[in-house]
Amino acid sequence: MNHRGDQSTAQLLMLVSAVVVVAALYLGQAVLMPLALAVLLSFLLTPIAARLERLGLWRVPSVLAVTALAFTVLGGVGWLVADQLADLIQSLPLYRTNIRNRIEALWGYGEGYLEWVLNFVEQFQEDFAPRPDPFEAPDPEPTADPVPVTIVQPAPSPLEIARFAGPLLGPLATAAMTIVFTLFILVQRDQLRDRIIRLAGLGRIDVTTKALDDAGRRISRYLLAQVIINVSYGVPIGIGLWIIGLPNALLWGVLAMLVRFVPFIGPWLGSLLPIAMSLAVFDDWTRPAAVISLFVTLELFSNNVMEPWLYGSSTGISMLAVVLAVVFWTWLWGAIGLVLATPLTVCLMVLGKYVDRLAFLNILLSDEPVLDPRSRFYQRLLAQDHEDALELADTFFTEHSLVEVYDQILVPALHMAERDRHRGRLDKAQQEFAYSAVREIIRSLGQLKVDAELHRLHTNPEERDWRTTLERARSLTIACVPARDEADELAAEMFAQVLTARGLTAQTLTVERLAGERLERVAELHAPIVCISALPPLAVMHARYLHKRLAQRSPDTAQVIGLWNFTGDMERVRDRIQCGARDCIVLTFADALQQVRQHLANVMGRP
């Protein structure tokens, strides 16, 4: 009861902490956004600054040079975009007739919709056209008899200055703080790392170092790959549009490069405006089609060649996590949050990877499988999803050997089914489906794997010595006896297939026979080796009972007692079962196969 109460309290504290953090991010965005931008830029600029330092330049000059270059490039791009955009706005009225013709050709003579579009173009041009200086006196109207006038320009009031300068203060303050933060982060990056390690605790230096290195590597690689991809996309766009003859081709190329930093919707935004512009500028349909073809071709090249080559596993974030991150950070910080969504999510994922209490972040955000293969397969069995279970099993059989599939996938899944069955967590339908599905997989996919491994056994020159052993053991039959339950029988059938794949003769006895009947059948087979198959949680008790009865009836028979997937105290188990000198206890098919080989060597008189 106390444990549940403590767990509920911890969950409540975590929820409250999350709400507080989100509120702090929203209320402190004026400072936190420039800081986040500075950290992002520092990840991108640190390798360049470090390279300059290795060439002999001191840290402060190298940081100043790199930062100045970076913000000069950003400022130049911003000025270029603004200049091209102003030119575009001035030229929009020239395309009024062509826009009308396009709309009429596409939608007919819908005057209401047509007039709305044209009015929108005119209003757009009017809103963004250069405005007269509010502090400059208007030109006097001409009169018949000009009168000399002395113009005295009044000083602008503080209110007028604030009204016109106000919208620029926010972006300028953000840019200034970003530059300052970037400089200090780059200059003091070693000290910042040491302080973060000290805050995390000296006892966790290794974990903190791994987390910082992991986050830095992922973000730096992502940013570098993103820059290369965007440049390789935007430059051909600009050149291609210039060749086609679209006005302001440089603007469209730069915008196509910049908006690709926005996940998912960026490429669409980068192509929509140039395509619409081509429809407004050109009278024919050939050149707009060429513009569309240019974007489609380069997008396919980026998605199928550049991104797989450069990205790889650079971030490790799942696609769903990227979508949610884009929505969350855009809601929180607007356009800047849209750009920072992926890097910030990488940091959260790495934090969840190395901090135990935040492990849920790694589970939710990472693209790595959160269930191991055995759990995934068992989940499909519980869901009674026959197609997915068969598909997963087919993948396992394709990628692994028969022993690996049974030891790592199917036997552990059977173990989980037996555990849940004994705890009353499986209903009858789930139990029957799980056993029937595993039996079908064994007899279909397992048999195909047996045939493939037998073919390799008889054709591989390295197996020559084992083939000689098989010739001598041709008349021997190995009995695979289930201890009690149907799950034990399925495991016995799997191990019989493993023996068959190695060229041996094996026979599985069914649990439909009583224990005494199974032992009589073992005597009829004259089996020199008996493999007892038992699955937890009652594996030891059932295997012990069958072992004692078999030892009494056939004391000369060697026993391989398989407690498949057992994880308890083996010394205690050996004391309970009381194995003889010829008997052994194994936990996996691989160990059991090795023991069978040794027993065969003894049976045939080999050392």
Side-chain angles (χ1 to χ4, degrees):
M1 186 70 179
N2 292 333
H3 175 71
R4 291 184 178 179
D6 294 341
Q7 187 176 9
S8 301
T9 302
Q11 292 176 350
L12 180 60
L13 288 175
M14 186 170 293
L15 179 61
V16 172
S17 301
V19 173
V20 171
V21 169
V22 172
L25 290 172
Y26 180 77
L27 296 175
Q29 57 183 301
V31 175
L32 295 178
M33 277 197 302
L35 180 61
L37 285 171
V39 172
L40 186 64
L41 285 172
S42 67
F43 278 118
L44 186 61
L45 300 179
T46 294
I48 305 175
R51 178 65 61 86
L52 292 178
E53 291 177 24
R54 285 194 295 269
L55 293 176
L57 192 62
W58 290 349
R59 170 160 295 188
V60 173
S62 64
V63 168
L64 290 175
V66 169
T67 307
L69 177 62
F71 283 97
T72 299
V73 171
L74 292 176
V77 171
W79 175 84
L80 181 65
V81 170
D83 182 69
Q84 290 281 306
L85 189 60
D87 181 71
L88 171 65
I89 293 172
Q90 291 296 319
S91 62
L92 280 178
L94 303 177
Y95 311 127
R96 177 186 177 96
T97 303
N98 199 35
I99 293 174
R100 178 186 293 273
N101 295 335
R102 291 292 189 192
I103 295 176
E104 290 179 351
L106 292 174
W107 286 285
Y109 294 87
E111 289 296 330
Y113 185 77
L114 177 61
E115 290 302 322
W116 180 85
V117 173
L118 295 176
N119 291 334
F120 173 79
V121 173
E122 291 179 353
Q123 185 64 39
F124 185 82
Q125 193 272 341
E126 179 182 345
D127 291 340
F128 288 92
R131 299 180 182 275
D133 189 346
F135 305 123
E136 181 179 351
D139 295 334
E141 295 183 359
T143 58
D145 298 321
V147 178
V149 177
T150 302
I151 300 176
V152 179
Q153 184 173 348
S157 66
L159 183 61
E160 292 175 327
I161 296 176
R163 181 162 59 90
F164 287 99
L168 298 176
L169 292 179
L172 289 176
T174 300
M177 284 192 292
T178 301
I179 295 174
V180 172
F181 286 148
T182 303
L183 286 172
F184 279 98
I185 291 174
L186 289 175
V187 171
Q188 300 184 351
R189 57 183 182 272
D190 294 336
Q191 297 182 24
L192 289 174
R193 174 186 288 266
D194 294 342
R195 294 180 187 279
I196 293 174
I197 292 175
R198 184 64 182 86
L199 286 173
L202 296 179
R204 298 177 60 86
I205 291 180
D206 57 335
V207 176
T208 307
T209 302
K210 289 180 181 178
L212 292 174
D213 291 342
D214 193 5
R217 183 178 64 256
R218 289 174 185 265
I219 295 177
S220 297
R221 190 188 306 172
Y222 165 76
L223 291 176
L224 180 60
Q226 187 75 60
V227 169
I228 294 175
I229 290 173
N230 290 5
V231 171
S232 66
Y233 178 81
V235 171
I237 287 292
I239 295 175
L241 295 179
W242 175 75
I243 294 174
I244 293 172
L246 186 69
N248 306 107
L250 184 60
L251 170 65
W252 307 126
V254 173
L255 285 180
M257 179 178 63
L258 294 178
V259 296
R260 280 188 68 89
F261 281 101
V262 179
F264 301 113
I265 62 174
W268 294 94
L269 294 177
S271 61
L272 185 61
L273 290 177
I275 293 173
M277 192 67 185
S278 67
L279 293 173
V281 171
F282 301 124
D283 296 330
D284 58 349
W285 292 95
T286 303
R287 283 177 286 184
V291 173
I292 296 174
S293 301
L294 176 65
F295 276 99
V296 171
T297 302
L298 288 175
E299 188 65 31
L300 290 175
F301 178 75
S302 295
N303 291 338
N304 297 290
V305 178
M306 297 297 293
E307 291 185 5
W309 174 46
L310 291 173
Y311 279 160
S313 56
S314 58
T315 60
I317 308 176
S318 68
M319 296 301 294
L320 179 60
V322 174
V323 175
L324 294 177
V326 167
V327 174
F328 173 77
W329 290 107
T330 304
W331 165 76
L332 197 64
W333 285 354
I336 295 180
L338 188 64
V339 176
L340 295 174
T342 300
L344 291 175
T345 306
V346 170
C347 294
L348 291 176
M349 185 197 68
V350 172
L351 193 64
K353 183 177 180 180
Y354 292 97
V355 180
D356 294 337
R357 293 186 178 182
L358 301 177
F360 68 93
L361 292 174
N362 185 48
I363 295 174
L364 292 175
L365 302 177
S366 174
D367 61 352
E368 299 176 358
V370 295
L371 293 179
D372 54 47
R374 66 188 69 182
S375 300
R376 290 170 57 202
F377 180 72
Y378 180 54
Q379 189 275 329
R380 301 304 191 274
L381 297 180
L382 289 181
Q384 302 183 39
D385 192 336
H386 185 273
E387 294 298 328
D388 275 2
L390 191 61
E391 183 178 351
L392 279 176
D394 188 26
T395 303
F396 299 147
F397 278 104
T398 302
E399 298 176 352
H400 301 86
S401 68
L402 189 66
V403 172
E404 291 173 338
V405 173
Y406 287 159
D407 269 341
Q408 300 174 15
I409 310 297
L410 265 65
V411 170
L414 275 180
H415 175 204
M416 288 186 278
E418 278 293 280
R419 177 199 61 197
D420 290 345
R421 182 176 72 87
H422 284 279
R423 293 177 180 176
R425 296 177 180 176
L426 284 187
D427 57 37
K428 186 175 181 181
Q430 289 176 317
Q431 178 184 339
E432 291 178 351
F433 176 85
Y435 291 156
S436 63
V438 171
R439 191 180 300 277
E440 178 185 348
I441 290 170
I442 295 171
R443 296 181 178 179
S444 57
L445 299 178
Q447 187 57 49
L448 291 175
K449 195 69 174 179
V450 168
D451 295 339
E453 295 194 5
L454 274 176
H455 176 73
R456 187 189 63 83
L457 173 67
H458 291 294
T459 57
N460 190 351
E462 297 179 359
E463 299 284 358
R464 184 178 300 126
D465 293 339
W466 179 245
R467 288 198 295 269
T468 302
T469 302
L470 293 177
E471 289 293 330
R472 300 175 61 190
R474 181 179 298 175
S475 60
L476 300 180
T477 299
I478 301 173
C480 298
V481 184
R484 177 158 183 160
D485 297 327
E486 186 177 359
D488 299 336
E489 180 181 332
L490 290 172
E493 190 171 344
M494 292 183 210
F495 188 63
Q497 279 193 342
V498 170
L499 296 173
T500 304
R502 295 301 299 161
L504 297 169
T505 302
Q507 184 168 342
T508 306
L509 306 185
T510 177
V511 291
E512 294 179 357
R513 295 172 178 261
L514 298 176
E517 295 176 339
R518 277 176 266 159
L519 297 179
E520 289 179 1
R521 180 56 181 161
V522 170
E524 293 174 1
L525 293 173
H526 301 288
I529 305 172
V530 174
C531 299
I532 298 177
S533 177
L535 276 167
L538 302 179
V540 176
M541 181 176 66
H542 295 161
R544 177 175 178 269
Y545 171 77
L546 193 61
H547 161 70
K548 282 191 171 184
R549 295 197 58 179
L550 182 61
Q552 292 172 358
R553 298 192 55 158
S554 305
D556 296 332
T557 301
Q559 297 186 38
V560 177
I561 304 170
L563 306 180
W564 314 125
N565 217 45
F566 183 77
T567 57
D569 186 351
M570 289 304 300
E571 291 297 329
R572 184 177 178 185
V573 167
R574 289 189 179 93
D575 292 340
R576 288 189 61 189
I577 295 182
Q578 298 178 354
C579 297
R582 297 169 54 85
D583 306 328
C584 60
I585 299 176
V586 294
L587 305 180
T588 65
F589 284 3
D591 292 340
L593 182 59
Q594 185 64 30
Q595 292 297 327
V596 167
R597 288 180 174 180
Q598 294 180 8
H599 285 311
L600 281 177
N602 295 331
V603 169
M604 294 182 296
R606 293 174 53 190

PDB file of all heavy atoms in Angstrom, residues 347-372:
ATOM      1  N   CYS A 347      17.430  16.672 -27.634  1.00  0.00           N
ATOM      2  CA  CYS A 347      17.941  16.858 -26.278  1.00  0.00           C
ATOM      3  C   CYS A 347      17.060  16.154 -25.247  1.00  0.00           C
ATOM      4  O   CYS A 347      17.564  15.510 -24.317  1.00  0.00           O
ATOM      5  CB  CYS A 347      18.029  18.352 -25.955  1.00  0.00           C
ATOM      6  SG  CYS A 347      19.251  19.253 -26.953  1.00  0.00           S
ATOM      7  N   LEU A 348      15.754  16.247 -25.409  1.00  0.00           N
ATOM      8  CA  LEU A 348      14.845  15.567 -24.486  1.00  0.00           C
ATOM      9  C   LEU A 348      14.991  14.051 -24.573  1.00  0.00           C
ATOM     10  O   LEU A 348      14.978  13.348 -23.557  1.00  0.00           O
ATOM     11  CB  LEU A 348      13.396  15.972 -24.783  1.00  0.00           C
ATOM     12  CG  LEU A 348      13.004  17.419 -24.460  1.00  0.00           C
ATOM     13  CD1 LEU A 348      11.574  17.689 -24.890  1.00  0.00           C
ATOM     14  CD2 LEU A 348      13.176  17.696 -22.972  1.00  0.00           C
ATOM     15  N   MET A 349      15.147  13.541 -25.800  1.00  0.00           N
ATOM     16  CA  MET A 349      15.296  12.100 -25.967  1.00  0.00           C
ATOM     17  C   MET A 349      16.589  11.594 -25.317  1.00  0.00           C
ATOM     18  O   MET A 349      16.605  10.566 -24.640  1.00  0.00           O
ATOM     19  CB  MET A 349      15.281  11.745 -27.444  1.00  0.00           C
ATOM     20  CG  MET A 349      15.311  10.254 -27.724  1.00  0.00           C
ATOM     21  SD  MET A 349      15.787   9.893 -29.417  1.00  0.00           S
ATOM     22  CE  MET A 349      17.504  10.420 -29.400  1.00  0.00           C
ATOM     23  N   VAL A 350      17.685  12.329 -25.513  1.00  0.00           N
ATOM     24  CA  VAL A 350      18.964  11.940 -24.903  1.00  0.00           C
ATOM     25  C   VAL A 350      18.867  12.023 -23.386  1.00  0.00           C
ATOM     26  O   VAL A 350      19.406  11.174 -22.660  1.00  0.00           O
ATOM     27  CB  VAL A 350      20.096  12.830 -25.445  1.00  0.00           C
ATOM     28  CG1 VAL A 350      21.390  12.570 -24.684  1.00  0.00           C
ATOM     29  CG2 VAL A 350      20.297  12.576 -26.925  1.00  0.00           C
ATOM     30  N   LEU A 351      18.170  13.029 -22.880  1.00  0.00           N
ATOM     31  CA  LEU A 351      17.970  13.149 -21.432  1.00  0.00           C
ATOM     32  C   LEU A 351      17.223  11.927 -20.890  1.00  0.00           C
ATOM     33  O   LEU A 351      17.582  11.374 -19.847  1.00  0.00           O
ATOM     34  CB  LEU A 351      17.192  14.431 -21.135  1.00  0.00           C
ATOM     35  CG  LEU A 351      17.153  14.900 -19.671  1.00  0.00           C
ATOM     36  CD1 LEU A 351      18.547  15.258 -19.203  1.00  0.00           C
ATOM     37  CD2 LEU A 351      16.221  16.088 -19.526  1.00  0.00           C
ATOM     38  N   GLY A 352      16.200  11.491 -21.607  1.00  0.00           N
ATOM     39  CA  GLY A 352      15.473  10.299 -21.177  1.00  0.00           C
ATOM     40  C   GLY A 352      16.288   9.031 -21.303  1.00  0.00           C
ATOM     41  O   GLY A 352      16.045   8.048 -20.593  1.00  0.00           O
ATOM     42  N   LYS A 353      17.264   9.034 -22.187  1.00  0.00           N
ATOM     43  CA  LYS A 353      18.097   7.844 -22.385  1.00  0.00           C
ATOM     44  C   LYS A 353      19.066   7.638 -21.228  1.00  0.00           C
ATOM     45  O   LYS A 353      19.387   6.492 -20.877  1.00  0.00           O
ATOM     46  CB  LYS A 353      18.869   7.986 -23.704  1.00  0.00           C
ATOM     47  CG  LYS A 353      19.713   6.788 -24.070  1.00  0.00           C
ATOM     48  CD  LYS A 353      20.381   7.001 -25.420  1.00  0.00           C
ATOM     49  CE  LYS A 353      21.237   5.799 -25.809  1.00  0.00           C
ATOM     50  NZ  LYS A 353      21.906   6.012 -27.139  1.00  0.00           N
ATOM     51  N   TYR A 354      19.524   8.726 -20.606  1.00  0.00           N
ATOM     52  CA  TYR A 354      20.564   8.613 -19.588  1.00  0.00           C
ATOM     53  C   TYR A 354      20.075   8.925 -18.176  1.00  0.00           C
ATOM     54  O   TYR A 354      20.816   8.695 -17.223  1.00  0.00           O
ATOM     55  CB  TYR A 354      21.732   9.532 -19.934  1.00  0.00           C
ATOM     56  CG  TYR A 354      22.479   9.090 -21.168  1.00  0.00           C
ATOM     57  CD1 TYR A 354      22.210   9.666 -22.416  1.00  0.00           C
ATOM     58  CD2 TYR A 354      23.430   8.087 -21.109  1.00  0.00           C
ATOM     59  CE1 TYR A 354      22.891   9.253 -23.551  1.00  0.00           C
ATOM     60  CE2 TYR A 354      24.110   7.673 -22.244  1.00  0.00           C
ATOM     61  CZ  TYR A 354      23.837   8.257 -23.456  1.00  0.00           C
ATOM     62  OH  TYR A 354      24.500   7.839 -24.588  1.00  0.00           O
ATOM     63  N   VAL A 355      18.870   9.451 -18.012  1.00  0.00           N
ATOM     64  CA  VAL A 355      18.311   9.727 -16.689  1.00  0.00           C
ATOM     65  C   VAL A 355      17.164   8.756 -16.451  1.00  0.00           C
ATOM     66  O   VAL A 355      16.170   8.772 -17.182  1.00  0.00           O
ATOM     67  CB  VAL A 355      17.823  11.190 -16.579  1.00  0.00           C
ATOM     68  CG1 VAL A 355      17.238  11.443 -15.193  1.00  0.00           C
ATOM     69  CG2 VAL A 355      18.971  12.150 -16.857  1.00  0.00           C
ATOM     70  N   ASP A 356      17.302   7.933 -15.435  1.00  0.00           N
ATOM     71  CA  ASP A 356      16.347   6.850 -15.220  1.00  0.00           C
ATOM     72  C   ASP A 356      14.926   7.367 -15.008  1.00  0.00           C
ATOM     73  O   ASP A 356      13.969   6.797 -15.530  1.00  0.00           O
ATOM     74  CB  ASP A 356      16.774   6.004 -14.006  1.00  0.00           C
ATOM     75  CG  ASP A 356      18.089   5.273 -14.260  1.00  0.00           C
ATOM     76  OD1 ASP A 356      18.420   5.065 -15.446  1.00  0.00           O
ATOM     77  OD2 ASP A 356      18.790   4.936 -13.280  1.00  0.00           O
ATOM     78  N   ARG A 357      14.778   8.437 -14.246  1.00  0.00           N
ATOM     79  CA  ARG A 357      13.441   8.946 -13.949  1.00  0.00           C
ATOM     80  C   ARG A 357      12.759   9.551 -15.171  1.00  0.00           C
ATOM     81  O   ARG A 357      11.539   9.738 -15.160  1.00  0.00           O
ATOM     82  CB  ARG A 357      13.514   9.982 -12.829  1.00  0.00           C
ATOM     83  CG  ARG A 357      13.912   9.388 -11.486  1.00  0.00           C
ATOM     84  CD  ARG A 357      13.817  10.425 -10.386  1.00  0.00           C
ATOM     85  NE  ARG A 357      14.144   9.849  -9.084  1.00  0.00           N
ATOM     86  CZ  ARG A 357      14.111  10.527  -7.943  1.00  0.00           C
ATOM     87  NH1 ARG A 357      13.768  11.807  -7.957  1.00  0.00           N
ATOM     88  NH2 ARG A 357      14.424   9.938  -6.810  1.00  0.00           N
ATOM     89  N   LEU A 358      13.543   9.881 -16.179  1.00  0.00           N
ATOM     90  CA  LEU A 358      12.984  10.461 -17.407  1.00  0.00           C
ATOM     91  C   LEU A 358      13.036   9.474 -18.564  1.00  0.00           C
ATOM     92  O   LEU A 358      12.985   9.863 -19.728  1.00  0.00           O
ATOM     93  CB  LEU A 358      13.736  11.739 -17.780  1.00  0.00           C
ATOM     94  CG  LEU A 358      13.721  12.859 -16.738  1.00  0.00           C
ATOM     95  CD1 LEU A 358      14.558  14.029 -17.207  1.00  0.00           C
ATOM     96  CD2 LEU A 358      12.292  13.312 -16.454  1.00  0.00           C
ATOM     97  N   ALA A 359      13.126   8.182 -18.245  1.00  0.00           N
ATOM     98  CA  ALA A 359      13.236   7.164 -19.293  1.00  0.00           C
ATOM     99  C   ALA A 359      12.028   7.159 -20.221  1.00  0.00           C
ATOM    100  O   ALA A 359      12.128   6.747 -21.376  1.00  0.00           O
ATOM    101  CB  ALA A 359      13.414   5.782 -18.659  1.00  0.00           C
ATOM    102  N   PHE A 360      10.872   7.625 -19.714  1.00  0.00           N
ATOM    103  CA  PHE A 360       9.676   7.651 -20.550  1.00  0.00           C
ATOM    104  C   PHE A 360       9.868   8.559 -21.772  1.00  0.00           C
ATOM    105  O   PHE A 360       9.244   8.329 -22.816  1.00  0.00           O
ATOM    106  CB  PHE A 360       8.462   8.110 -19.737  1.00  0.00           C
ATOM    107  CG  PHE A 360       8.504   9.549 -19.314  1.00  0.00           C
ATOM    108  CD1 PHE A 360       7.906  10.527 -20.087  1.00  0.00           C
ATOM    109  CD2 PHE A 360       9.141   9.923 -18.141  1.00  0.00           C
ATOM    110  CE1 PHE A 360       7.934  11.852 -19.708  1.00  0.00           C
ATOM    111  CE2 PHE A 360       9.179  11.256 -17.747  1.00  0.00           C
ATOM    112  CZ  PHE A 360       8.578  12.214 -18.529  1.00  0.00           C
ATOM    113  N   LEU A 361      10.729   9.584 -21.664  1.00  0.00           N
ATOM    114  CA  LEU A 361      10.979  10.455 -22.810  1.00  0.00           C
ATOM    115  C   LEU A 361      11.664   9.685 -23.936  1.00  0.00           C
ATOM    116  O   LEU A 361      11.321   9.855 -25.109  1.00  0.00           O
ATOM    117  CB  LEU A 361      11.844  11.642 -22.388  1.00  0.00           C
ATOM    118  CG  LEU A 361      11.190  12.664 -21.445  1.00  0.00           C
ATOM    119  CD1 LEU A 361      12.216  13.696 -20.988  1.00  0.00           C
ATOM    120  CD2 LEU A 361      10.014  13.338 -22.125  1.00  0.00           C
ATOM    121  N   ASN A 362      12.626   8.852 -23.583  1.00  0.00           N
ATOM    122  CA  ASN A 362      13.306   8.041 -24.598  1.00  0.00           C
ATOM    123  C   ASN A 362      12.348   7.038 -25.218  1.00  0.00           C
ATOM    124  O   ASN A 362      12.385   6.784 -26.427  1.00  0.00           O
ATOM    125  CB  ASN A 362      14.497   7.321 -23.971  1.00  0.00           C
ATOM    126  CG  ASN A 362      15.307   6.561 -24.990  1.00  0.00           C
ATOM    127  OD1 ASN A 362      15.650   7.088 -26.046  1.00  0.00           O
ATOM    128  ND2 ASN A 362      15.618   5.312 -24.698  1.00  0.00           N
ATOM    129  N   ILE A 363      11.458   6.474 -24.396  1.00  0.00           N
ATOM    130  CA  ILE A 363      10.485   5.513 -24.917  1.00  0.00           C
ATOM    131  C   ILE A 363       9.513   6.182 -25.878  1.00  0.00           C
ATOM    132  O   ILE A 363       9.176   5.641 -26.934  1.00  0.00           O
ATOM    133  CB  ILE A 363       9.726   4.849 -23.747  1.00  0.00           C
ATOM    134  CG1 ILE A 363      10.690   4.011 -22.895  1.00  0.00           C
ATOM    135  CG2 ILE A 363       8.580   3.982 -24.257  1.00  0.00           C
ATOM    136  CD1 ILE A 363      10.071   3.447 -21.651  1.00  0.00           C
ATOM    137  N   LEU A 364       9.070   7.398 -25.540  1.00  0.00           N
ATOM    138  CA  LEU A 364       8.078   8.084 -26.361  1.00  0.00           C
ATOM    139  C   LEU A 364       8.678   8.691 -27.625  1.00  0.00           C
ATOM    140  O   LEU A 364       8.015   8.738 -28.664  1.00  0.00           O
ATOM    141  CB  LEU A 364       7.407   9.190 -25.537  1.00  0.00           C
ATOM    142  CG  LEU A 364       6.519   8.740 -24.375  1.00  0.00           C
ATOM    143  CD1 LEU A 364       6.024   9.947 -23.597  1.00  0.00           C
ATOM    144  CD2 LEU A 364       5.342   7.916 -24.864  1.00  0.00           C
ATOM    145  N   LEU A 365       9.914   9.163 -27.550  1.00  0.00           N
ATOM    146  CA  LEU A 365      10.478   9.947 -28.646  1.00  0.00           C
ATOM    147  C   LEU A 365      11.403   9.154 -29.561  1.00  0.00           C
ATOM    148  O   LEU A 365      11.545   9.507 -30.731  1.00  0.00           O
ATOM    149  CB  LEU A 365      11.256  11.145 -28.079  1.00  0.00           C
ATOM    150  CG  LEU A 365      10.467  12.105 -27.185  1.00  0.00           C
ATOM    151  CD1 LEU A 365      11.380  13.189 -26.640  1.00  0.00           C
ATOM    152  CD2 LEU A 365       9.299  12.722 -27.945  1.00  0.00           C
ATOM    153  N   SER A 366      12.050   8.115 -29.056  1.00  0.00           N
ATOM    154  CA  SER A 366      13.057   7.417 -29.836  1.00  0.00           C
ATOM    155  C   SER A 366      12.415   6.567 -30.924  1.00  0.00           C
ATOM    156  O   SER A 366      11.270   6.116 -30.801  1.00  0.00           O
ATOM    157  CB  SER A 366      13.905   6.527 -28.917  1.00  0.00           C
ATOM    158  OG  SER A 366      14.802   5.742 -29.673  1.00  0.00           O
ATOM    159  N   ASP A 367      13.171   6.345 -32.015  1.00  0.00           N
ATOM    160  CA  ASP A 367      12.703   5.460 -33.070  1.00  0.00           C
ATOM    161  C   ASP A 367      13.198   4.037 -32.874  1.00  0.00           C
ATOM    162  O   ASP A 367      12.940   3.171 -33.711  1.00  0.00           O
ATOM    163  CB  ASP A 367      13.169   5.969 -34.445  1.00  0.00           C
ATOM    164  CG  ASP A 367      14.685   6.016 -34.571  1.00  0.00           C
ATOM    165  OD1 ASP A 367      15.379   5.808 -33.554  1.00  0.00           O
ATOM    166  OD2 ASP A 367      15.182   6.286 -35.685  1.00  0.00           O
ATOM    167  N   GLU A 368      13.902   3.766 -31.770  1.00  0.00           N
ATOM    168  CA  GLU A 368      14.346   2.419 -31.480  1.00  0.00           C
ATOM    169  C   GLU A 368      13.177   1.579 -30.973  1.00  0.00           C
ATOM    170  O   GLU A 368      12.287   2.096 -30.294  1.00  0.00           O
ATOM    171  CB  GLU A 368      15.462   2.439 -30.431  1.00  0.00           C
ATOM    172  CG  GLU A 368      16.708   3.196 -30.857  1.00  0.00           C
ATOM    173  CD  GLU A 368      17.734   3.277 -29.758  1.00  0.00           C
ATOM    174  OE1 GLU A 368      17.444   2.771 -28.647  1.00  0.00           O
ATOM    175  OE2 GLU A 368      18.818   3.816 -30.006  1.00  0.00           O
ATOM    176  N   PRO A 369      13.151   0.279 -31.287  1.00  0.00           N
ATOM    177  CA  PRO A 369      12.061  -0.579 -30.788  1.00  0.00           C
ATOM    178  C   PRO A 369      12.068  -0.596 -29.261  1.00  0.00           C
ATOM    179  O   PRO A 369      13.119  -0.749 -28.632  1.00  0.00           O
ATOM    180  CB  PRO A 369      12.408  -1.961 -31.364  1.00  0.00           C
ATOM    181  CG  PRO A 369      13.304  -1.696 -32.528  1.00  0.00           C
ATOM    182  CD  PRO A 369      14.082  -0.457 -32.181  1.00  0.00           C
ATOM    183  N   VAL A 370      10.900  -0.435 -28.667  1.00  0.00           N
ATOM    184  CA  VAL A 370      10.802  -0.422 -27.208  1.00  0.00           C
ATOM    185  C   VAL A 370      10.496  -1.807 -26.656  1.00  0.00           C
ATOM    186  O   VAL A 370      10.575  -2.021 -25.440  1.00  0.00           O
ATOM    187  CB  VAL A 370       9.719   0.580 -26.749  1.00  0.00           C
ATOM    188  CG1 VAL A 370      10.119   1.993 -27.106  1.00  0.00           C
ATOM    189  CG2 VAL A 370       8.359   0.250 -27.365  1.00  0.00           C
ATOM    190  N   LEU A 371      10.127  -2.730 -27.511  1.00  0.00           N
ATOM    191  CA  LEU A 371       9.908  -4.115 -27.110  1.00  0.00           C
ATOM    192  C   LEU A 371      10.945  -4.996 -27.785  1.00  0.00           C
ATOM    193  O   LEU A 371      11.232  -4.829 -28.970  1.00  0.00           O
ATOM    194  CB  LEU A 371       8.496  -4.586 -27.510  1.00  0.00           C
ATOM    195  CG  LEU A 371       7.310  -3.937 -26.791  1.00  0.00           C
ATOM    196  CD1 LEU A 371       6.009  -4.501 -27.338  1.00  0.00           C
ATOM    197  CD2 LEU A 371       7.383  -4.159 -25.289  1.00  0.00           C
ATOM    198  N   ASP A 372      11.511  -5.921 -27.010  1.00  0.00           N
ATOM    199  CA  ASP A 372      12.441  -6.867 -27.615  1.00  0.00           C
ATOM    200  C   ASP A 372      11.660  -7.841 -28.491  1.00  0.00           C
ATOM    201  O   ASP A 372      10.425  -7.939 -28.388  1.00  0.00           O
ATOM    202  CB  ASP A 372      13.246  -7.611 -26.552  1.00  0.00           C
ATOM    203  CG  ASP A 372      12.357  -8.277 -25.510  1.00  0.00           C
ATOM    204  OD1 ASP A 372      11.378  -8.950 -25.906  1.00  0.00           O
ATOM    205  OD2 ASP A 372      12.616  -8.122 -24.312  1.00  0.00           O
TER     206      ASP A 372
END
